[in-house]
Each structure stands twice: as structure tokens, then as C-alpha cells.
């Protein structure tokens, strides 16, 4: 990708492996589950960067590792130029003000025994805002911004609908005035009609406060609607990164092509050929050699079975990790320079 000026977050070769223990005493690492395996991307200030892929591709683990809710196995996470993978717990706690997360299931992520007011206020206490009046003022402000009334703040989470609960989750994330919000499947648990309300709210808040989002989702339609740039993950790796239009109009990676072929065509008379992927996603504890997509790829070549392709820029803001684009001719065709 070409160098850009306003990079807010730069993730470089991020890995998160989970050990599988075994042996006589159960303390020997027998294998590693490579949930995130060398992911690199940048997120610009004020944009919405989508991470998309099937369930189990490592997208949620990547989100949690960026926030260091999970410790990275390897790699760097630069936020405003500072490598947060190297921060000690105190420094990290302070930085959490700037990076917040919104979870998929608003019910599971909200303490059912706490009133909504206390749920929203809690991060301020954790970040050391000692003035009670100031906290109250801020809670009311944020509740209003997400469309909750003052009266609703005295209720408990179970008294709210799914969409309203997600508003509470967003208010809680917003209260510390973060710069970056990692939204992990924030609308997947909601009805379609409610999804658009929550997405519109997130977009309004983005405009008002200059927020940057990492939007993690398996839903390609929602990602298309909401994101500016998108990274496609497969088995712990980023296989394609592109501007939304470039990706949806001309996907380059065979996996992205197959995923997108399942989307309905915007024009009813334009039929699309749906590409059915063969087999299942392999286990991340035993990923295939070379290109990990090769057992399922209809374009697989000999080199794909042994050599891992690197992510290479093919055209403006469009990078792909696939040996199909290794030859200068293919590159030129994909870049639109040759027919
Ligand atoms: Fe298919 Fe080979 Fe490209 Fe992998 S590198 S996606 S196997 S063509």
C-alpha cells in the first residue's frame, strides 16, 4: 500500500497463537492454533476499515489482540506512532481511553445487575474521573447522543430491546471520548430493520466526533454499506485489502471472489455466477502449506502448495496475497494496463 499521511493505527505482522497443551502432565505445548498469523494493515484517521471473513478466520481475535484484551504472540501495533504491543499494563490502561470496543452481543457484554447509568459511567471511574458531577453530566450527554432518555438510565439491561442494548454498549464505548472504536459484529445479533438504525447512529457519531472504526463482520452486505476500505481474512491471514468499490467491483483473490459471488446482484437482470467453494475451512492448528487457501482454490498451481504468497499491491489501494499475480503479465492485466 502506498504511504499515507494520517495513519491512526498500523498493525505489522501481528500473530496470535493459542497453545494446545498435552503430554503426561498436560503442560507441554503440543501444537499451536494460529488464530492470527502475520496480519498487517493500516487504518486511517476518520475512516471505517472493515475486516471480513467466515467465522473462525481470526477476525475477532485480531480485534481483541489489537486492544490487548489478548496478548499478541508477535508483531507490532502502532497507535498514533506508539507501539502499544510494548506498553506496560498501566500505560495500556491509560491508552484504553482512546481505543474502545463494542461487542456483538450487547446483552452478554452488559452486567445484568447494574443500572444502565452505572454501566455507562463505569469506564469513567476506571479512568480516574473522580468528580461525580462531571461523570453524571457526561453520562447524560452520551445517553442523549446515542438516543437514550434520562429516565431510561435508571433501568436494567433486560428491560431493553436488542437495538437499545447496543446503544448502551455504544454509549459505554463513547464515554471516554475514544479516537478508535473496534466494533466486533455490532449488528449481527439484531433484526435487519434495527441493524440500519444502529449503523446510522454509528455513522452519525463518526461524523460528529471524527471517530475511526474497525468494523469486524461476516456480513458482506453490511460491510459494503458501512466501510470505506476492507481487509478480507482467511485462516488467520489477510488475503486482500482494498477500497470498497475496488474490492466489490473487481475482487482479485479467488477466496474474496467466491465470497462476493454469493451477494445478490444490484441489478435484477444481471445474473451472477455463484462460485461454490469446495471443502471446509481447514483447522488453524494444522493449516495447509504454502497458500492456506490452496486445497479449496480452483486456480491452484504447483507453487501454491509450497510457497506462501505475500501481500502485494496490484493497483491503487488494492493489495492481494495470491501467486496468480506473480507474473508481470497477470499483474498488468489486474492493474488494468493490459487487456
Ligand atoms: Fe489460489 Fe494459488 Fe492464489 Fe492461493 S495463491 S489463492 S491457491 S491461485
Amino acid at each position: 500500500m502506498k504511504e499515507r499521511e494520517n495513519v491512526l493505527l498500523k498493525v505489522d505482522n501481528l500473530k496470535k497463537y493459542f497453545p494446545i497443551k498435552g503430554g503426561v502432565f498436560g503442560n507441554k505445548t503440543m501444537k499451536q492454533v494460529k488464530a492470527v498469523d502475520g496480519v498487517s494493515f493500516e487504518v486511517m484517521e476518520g475512516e471505517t476499515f472493515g475486516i471480513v471473513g467466515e467465522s473462525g478466520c481470526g477476525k475477532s481475535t485480531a480485534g481483541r489482540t489489537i486492544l490487548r484484551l489478548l496478548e499478541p504472540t508477535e508483531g507490532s501495533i502502532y497507535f498514533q506512532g506508539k507501539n502499544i504491543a510494548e506498553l506496560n499494563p498501566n500505560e495500556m490502561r491509560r491508552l484504553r481511553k482512546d481505543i474502545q470496543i463494542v461487542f456483538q452481543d450487547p446483552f452478554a457484554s452488559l452486567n445484568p445487575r447494574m443500572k444502565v447509568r452505572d454501566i455507562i459511567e463505569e469506564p469513567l471511574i476506571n479512568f480516574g474521573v473522580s468528580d461525580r458531577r462531571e461523570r453524571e453530566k457526561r453520562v447524560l450527554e452520551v445517553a442523549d447522543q446515542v438516543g437514550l432518555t434520562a429516565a431510561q438510565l435508571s433501568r436494567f439491561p433486560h428491560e431493553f430491546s436488542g437495538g437499545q442494548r447496543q446503544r448502551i454498549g455504544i454509549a459505554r464505548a463513547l464515554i471516554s471520548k475514544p479516537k478508535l472504536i473496534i466494533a466486533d459484529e455490532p449488528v449481527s445479533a439484531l433484526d435487519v430493520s434495527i441493524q440500519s438504525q444502529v449503523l446510522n447512529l454509528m455513522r452519525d457519531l463518526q461524523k460528529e466526533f471524527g471517530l475511526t472504526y474497525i468494523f469486524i463482520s461476516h456480513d458482506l452486505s453490511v460491510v459494503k454499506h458501512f466501510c470505506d476500505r476492507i481487509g478480507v481474512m482467511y485462516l488467520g491471514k489477510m488475503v486482500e485489502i482494498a477500497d470498497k468499490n475496488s474490492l466489490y467491483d473487481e475482487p482479485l483473490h479467488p477466496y474474496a471472489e467466491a465470497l462476493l459471488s454469493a451477494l445478490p446482484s444490484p441489478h435484477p437482470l444481471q445474473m451472477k455466477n455463484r462460485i461454490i467453494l469446495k471443502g471446509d475451512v481447514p483447522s488453524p492448528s494444522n493449516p495447509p502449506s504454502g497458500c492456506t487457501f490452496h486445497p479449496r482454490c480452483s486456480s491452484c498451481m504447483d507453487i501454491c502448495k509450497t510457497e506462501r504468497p505475500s501481500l502485494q499491491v496490484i493497483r491503487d489501494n488494492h493489495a492481494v496475497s495470491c501467486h496468480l499475480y506473480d507474473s508481470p503479465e497477470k499483474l498488468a492485466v489486474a492493474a488494468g494496463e493490459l487487456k
Side-chain angles (χ1 to χ4, degrees):
M1 296 267 160
K2 70 180 179 190
E3 278 298 315
R4 302 177 204 213
E5 280 167 13
N6 54 344
V7 176
L8 183 68
L9 181 86
K10 181 178 161 75
V11 175
D12 191 16
N13 195 29
L14 186 67
K15 295 182 183 175
K16 178 63 196 174
Y17 295 173
F18 295 99
I20 301 174
K21 299 286 183 185
V24 181
F25 301 107
N27 59 356
K28 200 171 154 198
T29 299
M30 310 298 282
K31 266 186 175 182
Q32 308 255 32
V33 175
K34 298 180 175 178
V36 177
D37 193 16
V39 161
S40 302
F41 62 92
E42 291 177 346
V43 182
M44 309 302 136
E45 239 173 72
E47 80 167 344
T48 301
F49 183 79
I51 303 182
V52 75
E54 290 166 293
S55 115
C57 71
K59 53 192 188 305
S60 290
T61 305
R64 282 167 167 74
T65 310
I66 289 167
L67 201 53
R68 282 190 56 194
L69 296 177
L70 296 168
E71 282 305 313
T73 306
E74 206 182 303
S76 312
I77 308 153
Y78 292 97
F79 179 74
Q80 294 187 308
K82 193 187 271 185
N83 186 1
I84 62 178
E86 289 173 348
L87 297 184
N88 66 36
N90 276 339
E91 291 169 323
M92 196 56 222
R93 206 168 301 127
R94 281 198 293 276
L95 189 117
R96 288 231 166 85
K97 258 209 278 213
D98 289 333
I99 312 178
Q100 287 287 313
I101 188 162
V102 172
F103 293 100
Q104 170 180 3
D105 183 349
F107 199 55
S109 62
L110 304 176
N111 187 335
R113 282 183 284 276
M114 282 170 82
K115 286 187 179 162
V116 168
R117 175 191 311 279
D118 301 329
I119 290 173
I120 299 176
E121 183 189 23
E122 195 180 35
L124 289 183
I125 298 172
N126 295 341
F127 293 131
V129 180
S130 53
D131 185 334
R132 198 166 56 89
R133 284 220 189 113
E134 192 188 327
R135 291 200 307 264
E136 272 176 18
K137 187 170 158 259
R138 184 79 191 115
V139 169
L140 285 173
E141 231 171 58
V142 134
D144 183 52
Q145 283 155 0
V146 302
L148 294 168
T149 63
Q152 287 175 317
L153 295 176
S154 308
R155 299 194 193 151
F156 290 92
H158 72 266
E159 297 176 67
F160 291 84
S161 66
Q164 282 173 320
R165 283 201 290 260
Q166 198 53 295
R167 285 174 193 266
I168 300 168
I170 293 170
R172 188 183 154 89
L174 209 60
I175 197 149
S176 63
K177 301 187 176 170
K179 297 187 173 75
L180 173 67
I181 292 183
I182 298 175
D184 186 4
E185 302 268 11
V187 295
S188 306
L190 307 177
D191 289 347
V192 176
S193 58
I194 308 295
Q195 283 187 357
S196 52
Q197 287 176 18
V198 173
L199 291 175
N200 288 340
L201 170 68
M202 287 178 68
R203 188 164 275 159
D204 290 347
L205 294 170
Q206 181 172 41
K207 274 191 212 140
E208 194 169 343
F209 303 112
L211 290 169
T212 304
Y213 290 127
I214 293 181
F215 189 88
I216 298 167
S217 178
H218 70 280
D219 188 330
L220 289 152
S221 307
V222 170
V223 167
K224 184 179 183 187
H225 170 73
F226 195 66
C227 300
D228 304 309
R229 284 191 313 125
I230 294 149
V232 181
M233 272 186 84
Y234 181 77
L235 215 59
K237 295 181 172 66
M238 205 60 98
V239 295
E240 187 158 355
I241 302 177
D243 285 343
K244 170 172 65 183
N245 291 339
S246 192
L247 178 71
Y248 279 76
D249 294 347
E250 289 180 82
L252 298 174
H253 196 281
Y255 174 63
E257 212 182 339
L259 282 186
L260 293 171
S261 75
L263 281 181
S265 169
H267 196 287
L269 296 178
Q270 248 175 13
M271 291 297 286
K272 280 211 282 186
N273 285 333
R274 174 138 192 216
I275 304 166
I276 308 288
L277 287 175
K278 54 185 180 187
D280 296 319
V281 182
S283 164
S285 66
N286 190 21
S289 58
C291 168
T292 53
F293 185 61
H294 86 253
R296 306 176 76 193
C297 182
S298 56
S299 308
C300 179
M301 305 168 285
D302 283 345
I303 187 177
C304 307
K305 296 175 188 165
T306 52
E307 281 186 37
R308 179 177 168 174
S310 57
L311 198 67
Q312 52 181 330
V313 178
I314 305 296
R315 48 179 181 246
D316 247 11
N317 298 327
H318 199 144
V320 67
S321 162
C322 174
H323 289 304
L324 282 177
Y325 305 96
D326 285 351
S327 78
E329 295 77 29
K330 287 272 174 109
L331 259 166
V333 172
E337 290 155 12
L338 282 179
K339 291 281 169 207

